[in-house]
Amino acid sequence: MRQNDIILQTTTKIVLFIILAFSVFMFFNGHNNPGGGFVGGLMTSSAIVLFMLAFGLETTKRILPFDFKLVAASGLLIAILTGMGSFVFGVPFLSHTFGYFTIPILGEMELATATLFDLGVYLVVVGVTLTIIQTIGEDS
Amino acid sequence: MNAIEISKWIVGILVLFGALLNLISAIGIIRLPDVYSRLHASTKAATLGVMCILIGTFLFFSIVDGDINARILLAIVFIFITSPVGGHLISRAGYHAGVSLWESSIKDDLHTKKRKKQS
């Protein structure tokens, strides 16, 4: 049965960007405030799930042609590599450091290598959640 | 009274008004006869109630603490967009699943249109 979903689809197109922007904000906010890779990843995947609800699995696969198992695997790889990177400087596994850098537009910022580990967590959460939902949704 | 006292009164009135609207919406969910009139109560009154409480929170923290919190403004916009759409989708799913209207209701345009399409 063909359905007329125009209200849901139009609302999704607007709301999706609010959720994605807020998830990026959550991801970068995690060092000094509530937030971080896990919550940001869950929020990104919930935005993609909203898109799946409004437009269907096939459209989502066409505009996001990733294998989400590979996304989760690359997240794990990034997390392990940030841990291994501490061996280069002769300190124990998973030691993190930070420094102050001057970036052209944003001015002086504190950049920490914990953000890279958080990026790994983010990718793993997005990959695992969307793999589960795609696998369950494909059967019906 | 200085400005902070007056703004505290405004914040208190806004939060209490929002809580009262939410109470009215909860009473409406219990008292009204069918799904559609219950959704009428819950989506409209609860949306305005939550928005009033959030505006009160935003004003409190921006005037008293001097901390402009953009997340509350984003939440107000988000609730204002999504809550009516949620009500619309629930009522439409209920109608297509065959939930009957209140027996005293007299107008059902979609029903006559559906029957015309079938015949």
Side-chain angles (χ1 to χ4, degrees):
Chain A
M1 178 182 146
R2 198 178 122 75
Q3 284 193 338
N4 185 13
D5 271 344
I6 189 158
I7 293 180
L8 177 63
Q9 288 178 352
T10 313
T11 316
T12 304
K13 280 178 203 161
I14 300 167
V15 159
L16 191 78
F17 292 104
I18 299 179
I19 303 176
L20 282 177
F22 195 69
S23 78
V24 174
F25 168 76
M26 273 289 202
F27 173 70
F28 284 111
N29 207 29
H31 200 64
N32 302 314
N33 282 308
F38 189 78
V39 186
L42 277 183
M43 203 167 275
T44 305
S45 45
S46 72
I48 298 173
V49 167
L50 178 66
F51 192 85
M52 281 180 188
L53 280 177
F55 290 92
L57 269 176
E58 294 305 315
T59 319
T60 315
K61 264 186 191 163
R62 206 168 60 239
I63 66 161
L64 286 175
F66 306 127
D67 187 0
F68 285 107
K69 292 189 281 294
L70 289 181
V71 173
S74 59
L76 273 179
L77 189 69
I78 290 173
I80 290 174
L81 283 180
T82 53
M84 303 265 274
S86 56
F87 288 149
V88 178
F89 301 99
V91 287
F93 183 60
L94 277 178
S95 301
H96 285 286
T97 181
F98 63 96
Y100 293 93
F101 299 97
T102 307
I103 296 172
I105 300 169
L106 299 169
E108 185 173 331
M109 288 185 73
E110 178 187 342
L111 296 181
T113 53
T115 310
L116 293 174
F117 187 77
D118 241 12
L119 181 68
V121 176
Y122 178 89
L123 288 178
V124 169
V125 169
V126 170
V128 168
T129 317
L130 289 176
T131 308
I132 292 172
I133 287 167
Q134 269 191 348
T135 317
I136 295 173
E138 267 169 354
D139 294 337
S140 57
Chain B
M1 279 205 290
N2 55 354
I4 288 184
E5 283 293 317
I6 295 170
S7 60
K8 274 183 183 171
W9 273 95
I10 294 172
V11 165
I13 290 168
L14 271 174
V15 171
L16 280 178
F17 182 63
L20 183 72
L21 275 176
N22 279 347
L23 181 67
I24 290 172
S25 122
I27 294 172
I29 292 173
I30 296 172
R31 297 274 301 172
L32 286 173
D34 67 343
V35 171
Y36 310 106
S37 23
R38 277 184 205 141
L39 276 167
H40 171 74
S42 63
T43 53
K44 289 178 185 66
T47 308
L48 188 59
V50 172
M51 280 167 66
C52 277
I53 293 176
L54 284 175
I55 290 171
T57 317
F58 175 75
L59 286 181
F60 182 81
F61 281 110
S62 59
I63 293 172
V64 177
D65 284 358
D67 172 31
I68 304 282
N69 198 336
R71 277 168 288 175
I72 299 180
L73 295 179
L74 198 66
I76 292 170
V77 173
F78 193 79
I79 287 172
F80 188 60
I81 295 174
T82 52
S83 170
V85 177
H88 158 77
L89 286 173
I90 294 171
S91 68
R92 208 182 65 154
Y95 191 91
H96 287 304
V99 177
S100 58
L101 276 71
W102 184 34
E103 64 260 17
S104 301
S105 47
I106 52 171
K107 198 171 163 77
D108 190 357
D109 284 342
L110 189 55
H111 184 67
T112 52
K113 204 171 185 180
K114 257 185 165 179
R115 190 184 288 163
K116 204 180 287 174
K117 199 181 277 182
Q118 274 171 5
S119 64

